[in-house]
Amino acid sequence: MMKFVSFALQTEEESEEWKQWEGQEESQLYKEFKLTDNLVKLVRASLVVTDKKNIPAHEALRSIKTYLKNVGIYGSMPYICPIYGAGELPQAFARFSAVFGSIYVLDMGVNELNFDEGGSFEGVTVQTGQKLSGKYCVVSPNYSASELQPQERGLLKVSHAVVLTEKSVKEKLKLEEKDDVSLINILPGCLQNKRRVWGCEYGPGSMLPAEDMYMLHVMTTVDQDTSSSPEGDLGHVVDHLTESKGTLYKIFFSTTMTDESVTRTPDLDKNVIQTSHPAYNSSYRECIAEARQVFSTLYPGEEFLPAAPNPEDIKWPDDEETEENTNEKTEENTNGKTEAIKNGKTEEVETEGGADAAPAPVAVESN
Protein backbone atom coordinates (compact mmCIF):
# COMPACT_ATOMS: atom_id res chain seq x y z
CA MET A 1 0.00 0.00 0.00
CA MET A 2 2.80 2.45 0.88
CA LYS A 3 4.52 1.74 -2.42
CA PHE A 4 1.30 2.54 -4.26
CA VAL A 5 0.68 5.75 -2.28
CA SER A 6 4.28 6.90 -2.81
CA PHE A 7 3.99 6.30 -6.56
CA ALA A 8 0.76 8.32 -6.81
CA LEU A 9 2.11 11.16 -4.68
CA GLN A 10 5.64 11.52 -6.05
CA THR A 11 5.23 10.69 -9.76
CA GLU A 12 4.82 13.74 -12.00
CA GLU A 13 2.12 13.71 -14.68
CA GLU A 14 4.67 14.54 -17.39
CA SER A 15 6.86 11.55 -16.53
CA GLU A 16 6.99 8.32 -18.51
CA GLU A 17 5.94 6.34 -15.42
CA TRP A 18 2.68 8.31 -15.31
CA LYS A 19 2.02 8.28 -19.05
CA GLN A 20 2.25 4.50 -19.21
CA TRP A 21 -1.09 4.36 -17.38
CA GLU A 22 -2.91 6.53 -19.91
CA GLY A 23 -5.37 4.38 -21.82
CA GLN A 24 -5.46 1.70 -19.12
CA GLU A 25 -8.23 0.96 -16.64
CA GLU A 26 -8.18 1.65 -12.92
CA SER A 27 -8.44 -2.05 -12.03
CA GLN A 28 -5.14 -2.78 -13.82
CA LEU A 29 -3.45 -0.14 -11.65
CA TYR A 30 -4.48 -1.89 -8.44
CA LYS A 31 -3.45 -5.30 -9.77
CA GLU A 32 0.00 -3.95 -10.66
CA PHE A 33 0.57 -2.85 -7.06
CA LYS A 34 -1.08 -6.01 -5.65
CA LEU A 35 -3.73 -4.27 -3.57
CA THR A 36 -6.23 -6.53 -1.82
CA ASP A 37 -9.97 -6.17 -2.41
CA ASN A 38 -10.42 -4.41 0.94
CA LEU A 39 -7.62 -1.94 0.15
CA VAL A 40 -9.14 -1.25 -3.27
CA LYS A 41 -12.48 -0.45 -1.60
CA LEU A 42 -10.72 1.85 0.87
CA VAL A 43 -8.77 3.67 -1.86
CA ARG A 44 -11.81 4.12 -4.08
CA ALA A 45 -14.06 5.29 -1.23
CA SER A 46 -11.67 7.69 0.50
CA LEU A 47 -9.12 8.81 -2.11
CA VAL A 48 -10.62 8.38 -5.59
CA VAL A 49 -14.21 9.01 -4.44
CA THR A 50 -16.19 7.93 -7.48
CA ASP A 51 -19.43 6.09 -8.17
CA LYS A 52 -18.16 4.54 -11.38
CA LYS A 53 -17.11 0.93 -11.43
CA ASN A 54 -13.91 1.41 -13.41
CA ILE A 55 -12.44 4.78 -14.42
CA PRO A 56 -9.25 5.41 -16.46
CA ALA A 57 -6.13 4.70 -14.42
CA HIS A 58 -4.59 8.15 -14.91
CA GLU A 59 -7.78 9.80 -13.58
CA ALA A 60 -7.63 7.65 -10.45
CA LEU A 61 -3.97 8.57 -9.96
CA ARG A 62 -4.73 12.27 -10.38
CA SER A 63 -7.51 12.12 -7.76
CA ILE A 64 -5.30 10.26 -5.30
CA LYS A 65 -2.40 12.67 -5.85
CA THR A 66 -4.64 15.72 -5.37
CA TYR A 67 -6.08 14.30 -2.15
CA LEU A 68 -2.74 13.36 -0.61
CA LYS A 69 -1.01 16.64 -1.54
CA ASN A 70 -3.63 18.67 0.30
CA VAL A 71 -3.84 16.72 3.56
CA GLY A 72 -2.78 18.85 6.51
CA ILE A 73 -2.44 22.15 4.65
CA TYR A 74 -5.54 23.83 6.06
CA GLY A 75 -6.51 21.27 8.70
CA SER A 76 -7.05 17.55 9.05
CA MET A 77 -9.11 17.43 5.83
CA PRO A 78 -7.65 17.89 2.34
CA TYR A 79 -10.53 20.24 1.52
CA ILE A 80 -10.98 23.98 1.90
CA CYS A 81 -14.44 25.55 1.89
CA PRO A 82 -15.36 29.23 1.56
CA ILE A 83 -16.70 30.91 4.68
CA TYR A 84 -20.45 31.57 4.24
CA GLY A 85 -20.63 28.79 1.65
CA ALA A 86 -19.86 28.17 -2.01
CA GLY A 87 -22.09 31.08 -3.04
CA GLU A 88 -19.28 33.42 -1.99
CA LEU A 89 -17.14 32.27 -4.95
CA PRO A 90 -19.28 33.75 -7.75
CA GLN A 91 -19.90 36.81 -5.58
CA ALA A 92 -16.17 37.35 -5.12
CA PHE A 93 -15.62 36.91 -8.86
CA ALA A 94 -18.41 39.38 -9.65
CA ARG A 95 -16.90 42.03 -7.37
CA PHE A 96 -13.39 41.45 -8.68
CA SER A 97 -14.44 41.63 -12.33
CA ALA A 98 -16.62 44.69 -11.72
CA VAL A 99 -13.55 46.55 -10.47
CA PHE A 100 -12.00 46.00 -13.91
CA GLY A 101 -14.96 47.17 -15.94
CA SER A 102 -17.56 44.39 -15.98
CA ILE A 103 -21.18 45.50 -15.74
CA TYR A 104 -23.76 43.47 -13.82
CA VAL A 105 -27.50 44.01 -14.27
CA LEU A 106 -29.50 42.42 -11.44
CA ASP A 107 -33.10 41.19 -11.55
CA MET A 108 -33.20 41.45 -15.32
CA GLY A 109 -34.16 38.34 -17.24
CA VAL A 110 -33.42 37.64 -20.90
CA ASN A 111 -36.47 37.16 -23.11
CA GLU A 112 -34.75 36.34 -26.38
CA LEU A 113 -31.40 35.68 -28.03
CA ASN A 114 -30.98 37.62 -31.26
CA PHE A 115 -29.13 36.20 -34.27
CA ASP A 116 -28.25 37.77 -37.62
CA GLU A 117 -29.18 36.36 -41.03
CA GLY A 118 -26.13 34.09 -40.97
CA GLY A 119 -27.19 32.55 -37.67
CA SER A 120 -24.50 34.19 -35.49
CA PHE A 121 -25.32 35.78 -32.18
CA GLU A 122 -25.67 39.56 -32.18
CA GLY A 123 -27.40 40.42 -28.90
CA VAL A 124 -30.21 39.79 -26.43
CA THR A 125 -33.60 41.28 -25.67
CA VAL A 126 -34.20 41.75 -21.94
CA GLN A 127 -37.45 41.90 -19.97
CA THR A 128 -37.90 45.63 -20.52
CA GLY A 129 -37.70 45.17 -24.29
CA GLN A 130 -34.28 46.80 -24.49
CA LYS A 131 -31.83 45.19 -26.91
CA LEU A 132 -28.21 44.71 -25.86
CA SER A 133 -25.61 43.87 -28.50
CA GLY A 134 -22.54 41.66 -28.08
CA LYS A 135 -20.18 39.37 -29.92
CA TYR A 136 -20.51 36.33 -27.65
CA CYS A 137 -23.18 34.99 -25.33
CA VAL A 138 -22.49 32.72 -22.34
CA VAL A 139 -25.63 31.13 -20.87
CA SER A 140 -26.40 28.61 -18.15
CA PRO A 141 -27.63 25.10 -19.04
CA ASN A 142 -31.04 25.98 -17.56
CA TYR A 143 -31.68 28.52 -20.33
CA SER A 144 -33.70 26.85 -23.08
CA ALA A 145 -34.01 28.28 -26.56
CA SER A 146 -34.76 26.74 -29.93
CA GLU A 147 -31.39 27.97 -31.23
CA LEU A 148 -29.46 26.06 -28.55
CA GLN A 149 -28.78 22.35 -28.44
CA PRO A 150 -29.81 20.83 -25.07
CA GLN A 151 -27.25 18.77 -23.20
CA GLU A 152 -28.29 15.17 -23.69
CA ARG A 153 -25.37 13.08 -22.45
CA GLY A 154 -23.78 12.79 -19.05
CA LEU A 155 -26.80 14.08 -17.11
CA LEU A 156 -27.50 12.73 -13.64
CA LYS A 157 -30.61 13.01 -11.49
CA VAL A 158 -29.53 13.80 -7.94
CA SER A 159 -31.57 13.69 -4.74
CA HIS A 160 -30.61 16.13 -1.96
CA ALA A 161 -31.40 16.54 1.72
CA VAL A 162 -30.56 19.65 3.77
CA VAL A 163 -31.04 19.42 7.54
CA LEU A 164 -30.57 22.03 10.27
CA THR A 165 -29.80 20.47 13.64
CA GLU A 166 -28.79 21.37 17.19
CA LYS A 167 -26.28 18.52 17.44
CA SER A 168 -23.43 17.52 15.18
CA VAL A 169 -23.44 14.27 13.27
CA LYS A 170 -20.00 13.63 14.75
CA GLU A 171 -21.47 13.77 18.24
CA LYS A 172 -24.04 11.11 17.43
CA LEU A 173 -21.42 8.92 15.75
CA LYS A 174 -19.06 9.54 18.70
CA LEU A 175 -16.29 11.02 16.57
CA GLU A 176 -13.71 13.35 18.12
CA GLU A 177 -12.97 15.52 15.07
CA LYS A 178 -13.66 19.21 15.68
CA ASP A 179 -13.40 20.63 12.15
CA ASP A 180 -16.12 23.10 11.18
CA VAL A 181 -16.59 21.31 7.85
CA SER A 182 -16.75 17.51 7.68
CA LEU A 183 -17.03 15.40 4.54
CA ILE A 184 -19.50 12.49 4.71
CA ASN A 185 -19.11 9.45 2.46
CA ILE A 186 -21.50 6.48 2.92
CA LEU A 187 -20.86 3.43 0.75
CA PRO A 188 -23.76 1.59 -0.94
CA GLY A 189 -25.73 -0.66 1.41
CA CYS A 190 -24.38 0.78 4.67
CA LEU A 191 -27.64 2.58 5.57
CA GLN A 192 -30.04 0.87 3.19
CA ASN A 193 -28.83 3.22 0.44
CA LYS A 194 -28.69 1.76 -3.06
CA ARG A 195 -25.87 4.09 -4.17
CA ARG A 196 -23.13 6.07 -2.50
CA VAL A 197 -24.36 8.95 -0.37
CA TRP A 198 -22.01 11.83 0.24
CA GLY A 199 -22.10 15.40 1.42
CA CYS A 200 -20.90 17.78 4.12
CA GLU A 201 -21.75 18.92 7.60
CA TYR A 202 -21.10 22.60 8.36
CA GLY A 203 -20.53 23.89 11.87
CA PRO A 204 -20.90 27.44 13.24
CA GLY A 205 -17.30 28.26 12.29
CA SER A 206 -18.20 27.94 8.60
CA MET A 207 -20.60 30.90 9.02
CA LEU A 208 -23.39 28.92 7.31
CA PRO A 209 -25.61 27.94 10.27
CA ALA A 210 -26.27 30.15 13.27
CA GLU A 211 -24.33 29.75 16.50
CA ASP A 212 -24.83 26.37 18.23
CA MET A 213 -26.38 24.91 15.07
CA TYR A 214 -25.19 22.56 12.35
CA MET A 215 -26.19 22.17 8.71
CA LEU A 216 -26.07 18.77 6.99
CA HIS A 217 -26.25 18.44 3.18
CA VAL A 218 -26.18 14.94 1.65
CA MET A 219 -26.93 13.73 -1.87
CA THR A 220 -27.08 10.62 -4.04
CA THR A 221 -27.71 9.78 -7.68
CA VAL A 222 -30.86 8.00 -8.85
CA ASP A 223 -32.01 6.56 -12.15
CA GLN A 224 -33.45 9.13 -14.57
CA ASP A 225 -36.66 7.14 -15.04
CA THR A 226 -37.14 6.32 -11.36
CA SER A 227 -40.38 7.27 -9.63
CA SER A 228 -38.81 7.45 -6.17
CA SER A 229 -38.87 10.72 -4.22
CA PRO A 230 -35.80 12.49 -2.75
CA GLU A 231 -37.15 11.79 0.73
CA GLY A 232 -37.52 8.12 -0.15
CA ASP A 233 -33.91 8.05 -1.40
CA LEU A 234 -32.35 9.80 1.61
CA GLY A 235 -34.89 9.73 4.45
CA HIS A 236 -33.42 6.67 6.16
CA VAL A 237 -29.88 8.07 5.91
CA VAL A 238 -30.96 11.39 7.45
CA ASP A 239 -32.78 9.60 10.28
CA HIS A 240 -29.64 7.60 11.08
CA LEU A 241 -27.32 10.63 11.07
CA THR A 242 -29.56 13.01 13.02
CA GLU A 243 -31.84 12.93 16.06
CA SER A 244 -35.49 13.82 15.67
CA LYS A 245 -35.52 15.94 18.85
CA GLY A 246 -32.58 18.05 17.70
CA THR A 247 -33.80 18.53 14.12
CA LEU A 248 -34.95 22.11 13.54
CA TYR A 249 -35.62 22.00 9.80
CA LYS A 250 -35.18 19.65 6.85
CA ILE A 251 -35.97 19.72 3.18
CA PHE A 252 -35.65 17.19 0.34
CA PHE A 253 -35.32 18.13 -3.34
CA SER A 254 -33.78 16.95 -6.63
CA THR A 255 -31.53 18.60 -9.22
CA THR A 256 -29.82 17.80 -12.49
CA MET A 257 -26.04 17.49 -12.38
CA THR A 258 -23.31 16.40 -14.79
CA ASP A 259 -21.02 13.42 -14.86
CA GLU A 260 -17.59 14.86 -14.00
CA SER A 261 -16.02 13.47 -17.18
CA VAL A 262 -18.45 15.30 -19.50
CA THR A 263 -17.93 18.91 -20.57
CA ARG A 264 -19.78 20.87 -23.23
CA THR A 265 -18.13 22.08 -26.41
CA PRO A 266 -18.74 25.77 -27.25
CA ASP A 267 -21.06 26.31 -30.22
CA LEU A 268 -18.78 28.74 -32.01
CA ASP A 269 -20.85 28.67 -35.18
CA LYS A 270 -23.43 30.76 -33.35
CA ASN A 271 -20.97 32.49 -30.96
CA VAL A 272 -23.00 31.04 -28.09
CA ILE A 273 -21.41 29.16 -25.19
CA GLN A 274 -23.77 27.16 -23.00
CA THR A 275 -22.11 25.97 -19.80
CA SER A 276 -22.51 22.57 -18.17
CA HIS A 277 -24.58 21.63 -15.15
CA PRO A 278 -22.64 21.39 -11.86
CA ALA A 279 -20.39 18.33 -11.69
CA TYR A 280 -21.36 15.56 -9.29
CA ASN A 281 -18.28 15.56 -7.06
CA SER A 282 -16.68 17.48 -4.20
CA SER A 283 -14.13 19.33 -6.33
CA TYR A 284 -14.26 22.54 -8.38
CA ARG A 285 -11.77 21.07 -10.84
CA GLU A 286 -14.28 20.61 -13.68
CA CYS A 287 -15.81 24.06 -13.11
CA ILE A 288 -12.40 25.73 -13.28
CA ALA A 289 -11.40 23.75 -16.37
CA GLU A 290 -14.58 24.77 -18.16
CA ALA A 291 -14.20 28.40 -17.08
CA ARG A 292 -10.67 28.37 -18.50
CA GLN A 293 -11.99 26.97 -21.79
CA VAL A 294 -14.68 29.65 -22.02
CA PHE A 295 -12.19 32.41 -21.20
CA SER A 296 -9.73 31.15 -23.84
CA THR A 297 -12.55 31.21 -26.39
CA LEU A 298 -13.48 34.80 -25.57
CA TYR A 299 -9.96 36.15 -25.04
CA PRO A 300 -7.42 33.97 -26.88
CA GLY A 301 -3.84 34.47 -25.73
CA GLU A 302 -4.79 36.26 -22.50
CA GLU A 303 -3.78 34.96 -19.06
CA PHE A 304 -6.58 33.19 -17.18
CA LEU A 305 -7.27 34.64 -13.71
CA PRO A 306 -3.93 36.38 -13.06
CA ALA A 307 -3.06 37.31 -9.50
CA ALA A 308 -4.77 40.45 -8.26
CA PRO A 309 -2.44 43.45 -8.58
CA ASN A 310 -1.48 45.73 -5.73
CA PRO A 311 -4.17 48.45 -5.64
CA GLU A 312 -1.45 51.12 -5.49
CA ASP A 313 0.00 49.88 -8.78
CA ILE A 314 -3.25 50.15 -10.74
CA LYS A 315 -3.34 53.02 -13.23
CA TRP A 316 -6.91 54.19 -13.82
CA PRO A 317 -7.94 56.47 -16.74
CA ASP A 318 -9.21 59.06 -14.25
CA ASP A 319 -5.85 59.01 -12.48
CA GLU A 320 -4.00 59.75 -15.73
CA GLU A 321 -6.29 62.73 -16.47
CA THR A 322 -5.77 64.03 -12.93
CA GLU A 323 -2.01 63.71 -13.28
CA GLU A 324 -2.05 65.60 -16.60
CA ASN A 325 -4.18 68.39 -15.13
CA THR A 326 -1.83 68.62 -12.14
CA ASN A 327 1.20 68.97 -14.44
CA GLU A 328 -0.54 71.69 -16.45
CA LYS A 329 -1.40 73.65 -13.31
CA THR A 330 2.16 73.33 -12.06
CA GLU A 331 3.47 74.93 -15.24
CA GLU A 332 1.07 77.88 -14.96
CA ASN A 333 2.41 81.03 -13.25
CA THR A 334 0.44 82.26 -10.26
CA ASN A 335 0.14 85.90 -9.07
CA GLY A 336 3.36 86.90 -7.39
CA LYS A 337 6.96 87.52 -8.37
CA THR A 338 9.42 84.97 -9.54
CA GLU A 339 12.89 85.11 -10.93
CA ALA A 340 13.79 84.17 -14.48
CA ILE A 341 17.29 83.94 -15.86
CA LYS A 342 17.56 85.22 -19.39
CA ASN A 343 20.89 85.50 -21.15
CA GLY A 344 22.71 85.38 -17.82
CA LYS A 345 20.63 88.22 -16.25
CA THR A 346 18.17 87.86 -13.41
CA GLU A 347 14.85 89.61 -13.85
CA GLU A 348 11.69 89.83 -11.74
CA VAL A 349 8.60 88.72 -13.61
CA GLU A 350 5.07 89.71 -12.55
CA THR A 351 2.67 86.76 -12.65
CA GLU A 352 -1.01 86.27 -11.80
CA GLY A 353 -2.12 85.25 -8.32
CA GLY A 354 -0.72 87.88 -5.98
CA ALA A 355 2.17 87.96 -3.60
CA ASP A 356 0.78 85.14 -1.45
CA ALA A 357 0.68 82.68 -4.32
CA ALA A 358 3.18 79.87 -4.55
CA PRO A 359 6.21 80.78 -6.65
CA ALA A 360 6.30 79.46 -10.16
CA PRO A 361 9.20 77.29 -11.27
CA VAL A 362 12.39 79.11 -12.30
CA ALA A 363 12.84 79.09 -16.06
CA VAL A 364 16.36 78.86 -17.46
CA GLU A 365 17.07 79.91 -21.01
CA SER A 366 20.34 78.70 -22.39
CA ASN A 367 22.56 80.83 -24.64
Side-chain angles (χ1 to χ4, degrees):
M1 180 65 179
M2 289 304 300
K3 184 179 179 181
F4 172 72
V5 170
S6 298
F7 174 80
L9 183 60
Q10 298 174 6
T11 306
E12 299 297 332
E13 294 191 29
E14 295 78 13
S15 65
E16 293 298 327
E17 292 83 357
W18 184 286
K19 291 181 179 180
Q20 70 177 351
W21 291 105
E22 294 181 356
Q24 300 193 50
E25 294 184 345
E26 178 189 14
S27 57
Q28 296 173 301
L29 178 66
Y30 302 138
K31 290 180 181 179
E32 176 69 20
F33 286 89
K34 300 178 181 179
L35 300 187
T36 64
D37 291 342
N38 286 337
L39 285 178
V40 171
K41 290 180 181 179
L42 176 64
V43 169
R44 300 195 84 245
S46 58
L47 302 181
V48 180
V49 192
T50 181
D51 290 337
K52 298 179 181 179
K53 293 182 179 180
N54 203 1
I55 65 174
H58 69 279
E59 290 185 14
L61 282 172
R62 185 179 294 114
S63 297
I64 295 169
K65 185 182 183 73
T66 301
Y67 186 102
L68 295 174
K69 284 178 63 178
N70 289 279
V71 171
I73 295 181
Y74 296 104
S76 58
M77 285 204 319
Y79 301 96
I80 182 171
C81 299
I83 295 178
Y84 300 105
E88 291 298 296
L89 292 177
Q91 183 178 179
F93 174 79
R95 292 184 176 185
F96 184 66
S97 61
V99 170
F100 289 91
S102 296
I103 299 175
Y104 285 80
V105 182
L106 306 181
D107 295 328
M108 182 64 69
V110 174
N111 287 348
E112 184 181 4
L113 300 184
N114 303 321
F115 297 86
D116 60 21
E117 295 180 356
S120 295
F121 172 79
E122 63 178 7
V124 298
T125 303
V126 296
Q127 287 177 335
T128 60
Q130 181 182 5
K131 293 186 177 181
L132 306 177
S133 61
K135 183 178 179 180
Y136 291 99
C137 180
V138 182
V139 298
S140 77
N142 296 320
Y143 183 84
S144 59
S146 58
E147 297 87 358
L148 304 179
Q149 293 295 326
Q151 184 176 358
E152 298 178 349
R153 65 189 186 95
L155 294 183
L156 303 172
K157 183 179 180 181
V158 182
S159 293
H160 300 255
V162 176
V163 188
L164 191 64
T165 66
E166 293 180 323
K167 290 186 178 181
S168 170
V169 170
K170 293 173 287 191
E171 183 177 345
K172 183 174 182 179
L173 299 179
K174 297 181 180 180
L175 301 176
E176 297 181 357
E177 287 81 357
K178 297 182 180 180
D179 292 315
D180 285 305
V181 180
S182 301
L183 182 68
I184 297 172
N185 192 20
I186 304 172
L187 299 183
C190 292
L191 298 177
Q192 299 181 13
N193 51 308
K194 295 181 180 180
R195 299 185 181 182
R196 180 175 72 97
V197 175
W198 70 277
C200 289
E201 183 191 59
Y202 303 91
S206 68
M207 302 299 178
L208 278 175
E211 188 175 356
D212 298 327
M213 295 183 186
Y214 298 86
M215 191 181 78
L216 173 68
H217 180 194
V218 291
M219 65 190 81
T220 187
T221 58
V222 296
D223 293 330
Q224 288 282 1
D225 56 353
T226 184
S227 58
S228 64
S229 65
E231 186 171 2
D233 299 327
L234 294 169
H236 187 77
V237 173
V238 169
D239 292 340
H240 183 86
L241 296 177
T242 61
E243 297 180 358
S244 57
K245 291 183 179 180
T247 299
L248 304 174
Y249 174 84
K250 60 182 175 182
I251 185 173
F252 298 88
F253 59 95
S254 61
T255 63
T256 298
M257 304 185 82
T258 306
D259 186 304
E260 62 260 30
S261 64
V262 176
T263 56
R264 296 183 69 105
T265 301
D267 187 357
L268 296 183
D269 292 336
K270 295 184 175 68
N271 286 354
V272 174
I273 302 174
Q274 192 171 22
T275 60
S276 303
H277 288 275
Y280 182 69
N281 59 29
S282 58
S283 171
Y284 292 106
R285 182 173 55 208
E286 286 74 25
C287 298
I288 295 173
E290 186 170 14
R292 186 189 300 274
Q293 181 188 37
V294 171
F295 180 85
S296 299
T297 301
L298 300 180
Y299 306 102
E302 296 291 336
E303 183 181 1
F304 176 71
L305 278 183
N310 187 328
E312 297 179 357
D313 297 334
I314 301 176
K315 290 291 186 180
W316 304 100
D318 293 342
D319 294 341
E320 294 178 359
E321 292 178 3
T322 302
E323 185 176 350
E324 291 177 1
N325 294 335
T326 301
N327 293 336
E328 291 177 1
K329 290 180 180 179
T330 302
E331 294 173 358
E332 292 178 358
N333 292 331
T334 56
N335 287 339
K337 294 183 178 180
T338 186
E339 293 182 344
I341 302 176
K342 294 183 179 181
N343 298 323
K345 296 180 180 181
T346 302
E347 300 179 359
E348 287 187 351
V349 180
E350 188 75 23
T351 58
E352 298 179 356
D356 294 333
V362 175
V364 179
E365 184 178 303
S366 60
N367 293 326

